Amino acid sequence: MKLINTKPGIPGIRFNHQGEAEVLVWAPEAKEVTLSIETSGKKVALEKLEYGYWNSKTEEVKPGDSYQFDLGDGKLLPDPASLFQSKGVHGASEAVDLDAFQWTDAHWANPSLPDYIIYEAHIGTFTSEGTLAAMETRLDYLVELGITAIELMPVSQFAGPRNWGYDGVFPYSVQDSYGGPQAMQSFVNACHAKGIAVILDMVYNHMGPDGNIFGQFGPYFTKKYNTPWGEAINFDDAWSDAVRHYFVENVLMWFRDFHIDGLRLDAVHAIKDFSPVHLLAEMKMRTEELSKSTGKQHYLIVEMDLNDTRYIKPGSENGYGMDAQWVDEFHHALRVSSGQEKSGYYSDFDPITSLAKSFRDAYVFDGIYSEHRKRTFGVKAEGFPGHQFIVFSQNHDHVGNRMLGERTSQLVSFEMQKLLAGTVMVSPFLPLLFMGEEYSESNPFQYFVSHTDPELAEAVRKGRKSEFAAFHIEGDAPDPVGEETFNNSTLQWNLLEQEPHQTMFRYYKALIKLRKEQPALRSADRSGLEVTVPEGSETIILERNTGGQLILGVLNFSKNTEEVTLPAGHNWRKLIASSDEEWNGKQTLPEKTEGKLTVAAESFSLFAAL
């Protein structure tokens, strides 16, 4: 008998060096479990272990075979730990030998987190083909841009070919329309050959509805808590040991078998766990164990809506040990500073002053009252290095969760777009770009699904409409089920051959180059940061004094030119100015300056002290 504390093994089917298939499935209420091999028609009875596990070692299953499980009632179900659903969420699982791939990245070293310049991409709309193989052909483009880490929106199998990925139902799998697991391994291997790390977005706070068979195997969910998506995943109720094991092993699989460099964990505030050791802390501990055995560094990054530093504190300080987190509040403050509307959750943020506070403190709400929430919110983030906070001017959520999915390029001027980019790059935090922003992509990024259940599809339509009630938007949202909504969201690579898109791309390249080469910009040290807002202005003056260098950023969000007084005692050398004619601006700033400087409306200027 295997005991739970001996680590029961990896869920699903794995092939050992002897060519045997090692099968492990958790079905605590089943009286018998049979592996049904669709390809050969053979059946293998599994042996019952303690704590609801069933296993077998067999040579009857070969890589490429289709298989399902029979839990004693004659109904065939796919594997909850399926690596490949080549026939979709409702079809049989396909056995995969993950060790068969020939890796060539033995000398790859994951960059240190402060060196990450992240590019978020959705595989389905990144190219017209919508596959990992097609994305591989664009890696040289990302290298030219200066990207050091690409973040993939979720790849876990979802219904049909169109989805953001957050409705996945097989966390161990790679979406069939993207190319499956071998395509993922090939993609990561190719990225490493180009010097690019790979972050994978994973959803551990809920399962999608279409094709969700988990409840038929065991108590993967609990009625103790509710989430926006229904019953919470069972991380601390009866039978939760096996559920936790399932998800922890999933983290390790991506790192070990797919050579993924980092995971971005979606909406971890919706993970309900009051265990003595939180699920995230357990994931971190097991990741560190893996790193010690392989010598490879892996990062865990979280998205959360709590402004709670417990998530990024090390375990030695009773934290969960996450390496970094997204900071939505920086985006919200930046958005309203650019003149966009303050409806919905943006109503809590003031132009300029909220942004200046986020520069200083990371969190805008760090123990102060939130009118939108009607309560005091957050804690202070003092003492945490800048690389633990990821900031952006747009991402999939804040574009795609608009009713029409408009990108920044459709909402603000060309000059303001350049200012937003500069604001992100001059911050002491980690920058993230959303695919296409670097050349001012004009297509929207809208919400799309391809659910097979008509009632579910209609529920999604109604849900999207009600979601925008708080934003007081009139009209109808694009049909999320319609194929045209998906097609309208695909990048237009031909724009790179046109103006002003070429200029925007060159501008982003220049910004990223400065971020990498200037010591004060590259540093994650927040202690050498000073932020001032001249009285009565819409301008932020930001100083970063670290790495033996003093950098000055002038961010003018006003629609008028502004005269600013530069810090005394220095001559300043221009590094970049978005208003220069080189970037299609109308006011080229002098190469050197001191004292006072007149900056253009909606402009970003960056100087180094001589």
Side-chain angles (χ1 to χ4, degrees):
M1 292 274 187
K2 289 185 179 179
L3 299 177
I4 201 77
N5 58 11
T6 63
K7 300 175 183 176
I10 304 172
I13 289 183
R14 298 294 185 272
F15 292 93
N16 61 30
H17 296 302
Q18 290 73 44
E20 291 179 309
E22 298 183 354
V23 186
L24 183 72
V25 65
W26 182 62
E29 297 173 356
K31 303 300 182 187
E32 60 182 75
V33 176
T34 303
L35 174 66
S36 178
I37 307 167
E38 185 178 273
T39 306
S40 65
K42 296 182 178 180
K43 299 181 184 299
V44 177
L46 271 60
E47 177 188 358
K48 186 175 184 179
L49 308 177
E50 283 197 294
Y51 300 103
Y53 286 99
W54 300 76
N55 83 336
S56 176
K57 284 187 179 181
T58 177
E59 294 182 354
E60 297 293 348
V61 183
K62 306 297 181 186
D65 282 352
S66 295
Y67 70 95
Q68 297 188 81
F69 289 111
D70 180 347
L71 303 185
D73 57 3
K75 182 179 180 180
L76 296 178
L77 296 171
D79 184 355
S82 171
L83 295 170
F84 193 23
Q85 291 296 117
S86 57
K87 300 174 184 177
V89 294
H90 300 292
S93 302
E94 183 174 316
V96 177
D97 183 3
L98 292 178
D99 292 333
F101 184 78
Q102 299 298 309
W103 292 93
T104 60
D105 67 346
H107 299 294
W108 164 256
N110 194 359
S112 65
L113 204 50
D115 290 331
Y116 266 33
I117 295 172
I118 306 170
Y119 187 94
E120 185 190 21
H122 177 265
I123 298 166
T125 54
F126 186 73
T127 64
S128 57
E129 297 90 344
T131 64
L132 284 157
M135 187 177 283
E136 263 192 55
T137 67
R138 296 284 181 179
L139 291 182
D140 285 339
Y141 164 83
L142 296 178
V143 171
E144 180 187 357
L145 178 59
I147 296 302
T148 61
I150 184 168
E151 179 178 319
L152 299 176
M153 289 173 65
V155 302
S156 300
Q157 187 73 34
F158 48 77
R162 304 182 302 278
N163 198 294
W164 279 15
Y166 300 93
D167 286 333
V169 287
F170 291 94
Y172 283 73
S173 67
V174 177
Q175 172 70 12
D176 64 318
S177 59
Y178 292 166
Q182 288 93 347
M184 173 62 86
Q185 290 176 317
S186 175
F187 177 79
V188 175
N189 197 52
C191 284
H192 289 174
K194 301 288 186 181
I196 299 175
V198 181
I199 305 167
L200 182 60
D201 201 342
M202 290 303 301
V203 182
Y204 295 145
N205 55 63
H206 75 288
M207 299 281 192
D210 204 343
N212 187 339
I213 45 83
F214 285 80
Q216 298 180 60
F217 279 85
Y220 277 90
F221 303 93
T222 175
K223 297 182 183 297
K224 280 178 65 174
Y225 318 107
N226 284 315
T227 76
W229 307 281
E231 290 181 357
I233 296 178
N234 178 18
F235 291 127
D236 68 359
D237 203 354
W239 293 106
S240 60
D241 286 346
V243 180
R244 295 170 70 93
H245 178 77
Y246 174 93
F247 285 97
V248 171
E249 285 296 331
N250 183 247
V251 168
L252 300 178
M253 180 202 72
W254 291 116
F255 292 153
R256 179 189 60 239
D257 301 326
F258 287 87
H259 294 199
I260 294 293
D261 299 288
L263 295 181
R264 181 266 196 187
L265 309 183
D266 179 69
V268 296
H269 51 270
I271 293 175
K272 310 297 184 181
D273 181 16
F274 285 91
S275 304
V277 178
H278 192 277
L279 178 72
L280 297 179
E282 184 177 351
M283 288 176 171
K284 178 63 174 180
M285 288 188 289
R286 293 294 304 280
T287 297
E288 288 178 339
E289 290 174 6
L290 178 67
S291 292
K292 286 179 182 177
S293 66
T294 64
K296 299 291 185 181
Q297 176 71 49
H298 304 285
Y299 302 121
L300 291 170
I301 299 166
V302 292
E303 178 205 27
M304 55 113 170
D305 185 28
L306 294 177
N307 288 10
D308 185 351
T309 55
R310 171 175 34 180
Y311 286 81
I312 56 174
K313 280 183 181 177
S316 59
E317 299 178 21
N318 297 318
Y320 299 157
M322 300 295 98
D323 295 289
Q325 67 158 108
W326 281 25
V327 183
D328 278 1
E329 291 190 344
F330 185 94
H331 165 272
H332 301 346
L334 181 54
R335 177 188 175 86
V336 299
S337 295
S338 70
Q340 298 178 66
E341 75 274 7
K342 288 184 58 175
S343 55
Y345 49 74
Y346 296 115
S347 62
D348 255 349
F349 297 87
D350 296 318
I352 310 301
T353 55
S354 289
L355 180 58
K357 188 175 193 313
S358 190
F359 269 127
R360 296 186 194 101
D361 303 327
Y363 302 153
V364 175
F365 288 88
D366 55 0
I368 61 177
Y369 186 80
S370 161
E371 179 62 33
H372 180 70
R373 296 180 177 88
K374 297 292 187 288
R375 65 184 178 94
T376 301
F377 184 72
V379 297
K380 292 195 178 297
E382 296 170 346
F384 293 87
H387 68 255
Q388 289 199 277
F389 304 96
I390 295 172
V391 298
F392 32 80
S393 67
Q394 50 192 311
N395 63 32
H396 75 273
D397 266 334
H398 301 304
V399 175
N401 282 335
R402 294 181 60 84
M403 188 175 81
L404 301 179
E406 306 102 318
R407 293 169 172 271
T408 302
S409 62
Q410 298 167 280
L411 299 171
V412 301
S413 69
F414 188 77
E415 297 306 310
M416 182 59 77
Q417 291 173 61
K418 290 186 287 181
L419 170 54
L420 297 183
T423 303
V424 169
M425 287 297 170
V426 78
S427 80
F429 312 122
L430 286 193
L432 177 142
L433 285 61
F434 181 57
M435 63 176 196
E437 75 167 81
E438 73 279 5
Y439 63 84
S440 191
E441 171 62 61
S442 55
N443 263 359
F445 184 73
Q446 298 173 332
Y447 183 73
F448 44 80
V449 296
S450 48
H451 292 316
T452 55
D453 182 345
E455 291 185 6
L456 183 57
E458 183 59 29
V460 171
R461 289 189 183 100
K462 290 180 179 178
R464 287 293 286 176
K465 188 168 185 177
S466 64
E467 184 178 339
F468 299 108
F471 289 85
H472 309 293
I473 298 174
E474 296 181 359
D476 293 324
D479 181 6
V481 186
E483 189 171 355
E484 67 280 3
T485 303
F486 172 81
N487 292 335
N488 290 343
S489 301
T490 303
L491 296 185
Q492 304 172 88
W493 288 97
N494 61 303
L495 293 181
L496 279 163
E497 303 168 3
Q498 306 169 20
E499 287 293 354
H501 307 283
Q502 277 187 352
T503 294
M504 186 65 82
F505 179 71
R506 289 191 300 107
Y507 176 73
Y508 266 80
K509 277 175 57 178
L511 283 176
I512 292 172
K513 188 170 186 287
L514 287 170
R515 172 89 185 195
K516 290 179 174 181
E517 293 180 351
Q518 301 299 319
L521 291 183
R522 187 174 181 177
S523 171
D525 183 6
R526 296 168 59 198
S527 64
L529 177 75
E530 285 194 28
V531 184
T532 58
V533 178
E535 187 175 354
S537 79
E538 295 178 60
T539 300
I540 293 175
I541 297 176
L542 182 146
E543 295 178 64
R544 296 192 60 190
N545 190 354
T546 187
Q549 183 188 39
L550 176 60
I551 289 284
L552 178 71
V554 181
L555 291 61
N556 181 16
F557 288 89
S558 168
K559 294 187 179 299
N560 304 306
T561 59
E562 292 275 351
E563 184 178 71
V564 296
T565 301
L566 304 181
H570 300 282
N571 290 324
W572 298 97
R573 174 175 62 90
K574 180 178 69 177
L575 297 177
I576 195 168
S578 66
S579 63
D580 283 358
E581 292 179 12
E582 179 182 6
W583 314 117
N584 285 359
K586 296 181 180 179
Q587 178 187 337
T588 297
L589 296 184
E591 294 301 311
K592 296 180 181 179
T593 189
E594 61 179 320
K596 293 186 180 295
L597 177 70
T598 300
V599 294
E602 299 184 341
S603 69
F604 170 78
S605 311
L606 189 65
F607 305 89
L610 290 170

